[in-house]
Every structure is written in structure tokens, then in C-alpha cells.
């Protein structure tokens, strides 16, 4: 069974496979830390970069967003970083995060760090060097949610750290774990895939994100739903347009 706390959306090559393996091993041994490895925003296929095969970005809610240059080319790396931040800012504006988390100049110094392969000793040392304060953790989670396509309605949950238990439940930031993210973005060889979970665990939300990924992947896509009762069918008829509008 694949680790639900680790997800990589980077095509393996000679430059990155050793580091990705090290990050996965770290995730396997640290069972309370979600880690994503990417080199372009997920869920928005229009964002790609000529230098991205030389980059890995390490995302973890407790640490700064780490940009690691595997090719030691400062000029290309800086260009990639600025383009990525510009695109992340565009996503922030699109989903109305910017009013809450501010512009990049307000958060990129505190929440991002750029490193070359020469700076890399091991993943544990790298992460420990770039932990963030509890005050910044929520804003960091919101940025990660934009990058991995786990979009939250920020107008409802806000950016302030919840104080009470009820606020923590109501204003929880949804970050899809490794298995959930694989379900959304991975192509499966099987014709049938099942999702299981208790009531209220987010199965429908996950399905809607998969629906969006399928619908936007090709020019002419039709998706057919069957439901086990009329009540669920009526609920989906209401939720799907709301989700796509959002």
C-alpha cells in the first residue's frame, strides 16, 4: 500500500530519482508529516516551465516551500522561481485568496526558500533548517492547497488560526493526502475504481475534483452518473454546478 503521507508528481530522471527516494523514505519514517514533491502547479495544465525537469519543489505544511535546483544554473533557476511565484499569485487571485494572504511580496520571503543541489546534505537537515512558526502554518497550508489543486473556499474558512474546537472543525483547511491526490491526477489501468469511507469523510468532494480533472483533460468529454437513490442524484445535480462555478 502506498504511503498516504507522500505524493510525487515529478517524472523520475537521473538528476532527481535519488533525492525523491530519500524524501519518500523520510515520509515513510515520519508518520505525522504530509509531503508533496512537484515541479509545477497541479490541476492547472497550462502551467509548465522549460527548466522544470531540473527542479523539485518540496511542500510540507510545517516547513517553507523549498525550491531545489538540481542543475546548479542560477539564471535559469531564478527565472523558473519568478515564473512559478507569478503563476501562484495568479491562482491566489483567481480563487480569492489574495485578499486574505496578500501579495507574493508579503509572503514569499517568509514561506519560500530557494536552494541549489550544492546546499543539499539530506532531506531531514533541509526540512529542519526551514521549519515555520505556528503563526505562519495556516497561510502556508493555503498556499500548498493552491499548488496541489485542493482548493478551499477561503471566504468561509478565513486565514486566521482557529481558536476553539468548533472553529477548528468549521475552518479546517482541506489538503488532500497522497492517496487522494493520486486518485485525482493519476491515470488508472483498471476500468473500475472504488472509493470507500465513512459518512462525512469527503468522498463526494474528492469525486468532484476527479470529475473536474477528467472534464478538463480533453476537448470533448461526457461523464455519466448513476446514483443509488433519488436524494443523492438531486444533491449531485445541485453540487456539481456549484463546484464548477467556484
Amino acid at each position: 500500500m502506498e504511503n498516504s503521507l507522500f505524493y510525487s508528481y515529478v517524472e523520475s530522471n537521473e538528476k532527481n530519482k535519488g533525492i525523491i527516494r530519500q524524501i519518500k523514505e523520510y515520509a515513510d519514517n515520519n508518520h505525522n508529516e504530509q509531503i508533496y514533491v512537484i515541479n509545477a502547479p497541479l490541476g492547472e495544465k497550462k502551467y509548465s516551465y522549460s527548466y522544470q525537469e531540473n527542479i523539485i519543489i518540496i511542500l510540507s505544511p510545517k516547513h517553507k516551500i523549498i525550491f531545489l535546483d538540481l542543475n546548479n544554473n542560477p539564471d535559469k533557476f531564478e527565472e523558473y522561481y519568478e515564473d512559478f511565484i507569478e503563476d501562484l499569485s495568479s491562482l491566489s487571485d483567481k480563487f480569492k485568496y489574495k485578499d486574505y494572504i496578500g501579495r507574493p511580496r508579503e509572503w514569499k520571503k517568509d514561506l519560500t526558500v530557494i536552494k541549489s543541489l550544492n546546499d543539499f546534505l539530506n532531506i531531514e537537515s533541509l526540512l529542519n533548517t526551514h521549519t515555520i512558526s505556528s503563526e505562519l502554518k495556516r497561510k502556508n497550508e493555503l498556499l500548498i492547497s493552491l499548488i496541489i489543486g485542493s482548493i478551499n473556499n477561503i471566504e468561509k474558512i478565513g486565514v486566521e488560526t482557529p481558536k476553539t474546537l468548533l472553529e477548528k472543525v468549521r475552518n479546517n483547511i482541506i489538503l488532500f493526502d497522497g492517496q487522494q491526490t493520486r486518485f485525482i491526477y493519476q491515470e488508472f489501468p483498471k476500468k473500475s475504481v472504488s472509493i470507500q469511507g465513512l459518512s462525512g469523510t469527503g468522498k463526494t468532494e474528492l469525486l468532484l475534483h476527479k470529475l473536474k480533472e477528467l472534464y478538463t483533460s480533453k476537448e470533448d468529454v461526457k461523464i455519466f452518473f448513476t446514483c443509488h437513490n433519488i436524494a443523492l442524484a438531486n444533491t449531485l445535480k445541485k453540487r456539481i454546478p456549484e463546484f464548477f462555478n467556484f
Side-chain angles (χ1 to χ4, degrees):
M1 183 175 176
E2 293 187 84
N3 187 350
S4 64
L5 292 177
F6 174 78
Y7 176 76
S8 175
Y9 198 72
V10 174
E11 188 174 341
S12 179
N13 59 40
E14 289 301 316
K15 295 176 184 176
N16 64 33
K17 64 182 181 181
I19 293 176
I20 293 174
R21 182 171 60 249
Q22 189 181 142
I23 296 171
K24 185 179 185 303
E25 289 172 356
Y26 175 88
D28 289 340
N29 295 320
N30 291 269
H31 303 299
N32 62 346
E33 193 166 350
Q34 184 73 53
I35 297 180
Y36 311 85
V37 177
I38 56 106
N39 57 16
L42 307 183
E44 296 283 346
K45 294 181 174 59
K46 64 181 179 180
Y47 297 134
S48 62
Y49 314 92
S50 60
Y51 193 65
Q52 71 183 55
E53 72 274 9
N54 300 298
I55 302 290
I56 62 171
I57 301 173
I58 305 167
L59 308 173
S60 176
K62 298 177 182 179
H63 303 88
K64 291 184 178 184
I65 299 170
I66 300 171
F67 293 77
L68 184 61
D69 180 13
L70 307 178
N71 201 41
N72 293 321
N73 187 326
D75 291 337
K76 291 286 187 181
F77 186 29
E78 183 179 0
E79 182 180 285
Y80 169 92
Y81 173 78
E82 294 299 335
D83 286 348
F84 189 99
I85 295 297
E86 180 181 327
D87 292 340
L88 182 53
S89 177
S90 177
L91 287 171
S92 175
D93 191 38
K94 176 181 179 181
F95 292 106
K96 301 179 181 179
Y97 278 42
K98 189 174 288 184
D99 292 341
Y100 294 83
I101 65 175
R103 295 180 179 275
R105 60 178 167 77
E106 299 174 55
W107 49 255
K108 70 178 184 179
K109 182 179 178 181
D110 292 328
L111 293 176
T112 70
V113 62
I114 55 177
K115 293 287 181 180
S116 73
L117 192 57
N118 293 333
D119 301 321
F120 184 84
L121 296 176
N122 58 69
I123 184 60
E124 186 169 4
S125 173
L126 184 65
L127 290 173
N128 288 342
T129 304
H130 298 293
T131 56
I132 57 173
S133 66
S134 56
E135 290 79 13
L136 290 172
K137 182 173 178 289
R138 188 170 177 83
K139 188 176 288 189
N140 194 47
E141 288 180 335
L142 288 167
L143 287 173
I144 292 173
S145 75
L146 284 174
I147 295 170
I148 67 171
S150 182
I151 309 299
N152 290 251
N153 189 336
I154 197 167
E155 292 181 338
K156 291 184 178 180
I157 65 171
V159 73
E160 298 298 325
T161 303
K163 299 294 192 297
T164 67
L165 181 60
L166 182 59
E167 287 176 343
K168 289 178 181 178
V169 173
R170 284 179 175 173
N171 302 333
N172 181 49
I173 297 171
I174 298 173
L175 287 179
F176 292 133
D177 65 22
Q179 287 183 321
Q180 292 168 328
T181 311
R182 274 186 285 274
F183 170 75
I184 295 170
Y185 297 113
Q186 184 174 315
E187 292 187 11
F188 293 94
K190 298 179 181 179
K191 291 185 178 181
S192 177
V193 179
S194 299
I195 306 175
Q196 295 178 318
L198 298 174
S199 177
T201 54
K203 297 185 299 296
T204 304
E205 187 74 15
L206 195 62
L207 177 65
L208 292 173
H209 278 81
K210 183 66 176 180
L211 172 64
K212 175 253 182 186
E213 183 66 14
L214 290 171
Y215 189 77
T216 58
S217 63
K218 298 176 183 176
E219 289 294 324
D220 186 20
V221 175
K222 291 184 179 180
I223 298 172
F224 182 74
F225 276 91
T226 61
C227 301
H228 71 273
N229 60 45
I230 293 175
L232 179 57
N234 289 336
T235 298
L236 283 172
K237 282 180 183 178
K238 181 174 183 290
R239 286 193 66 179
I240 289 171
E242 289 176 349
F243 178 84
F244 270 80
N245 286 341
F246 171 68

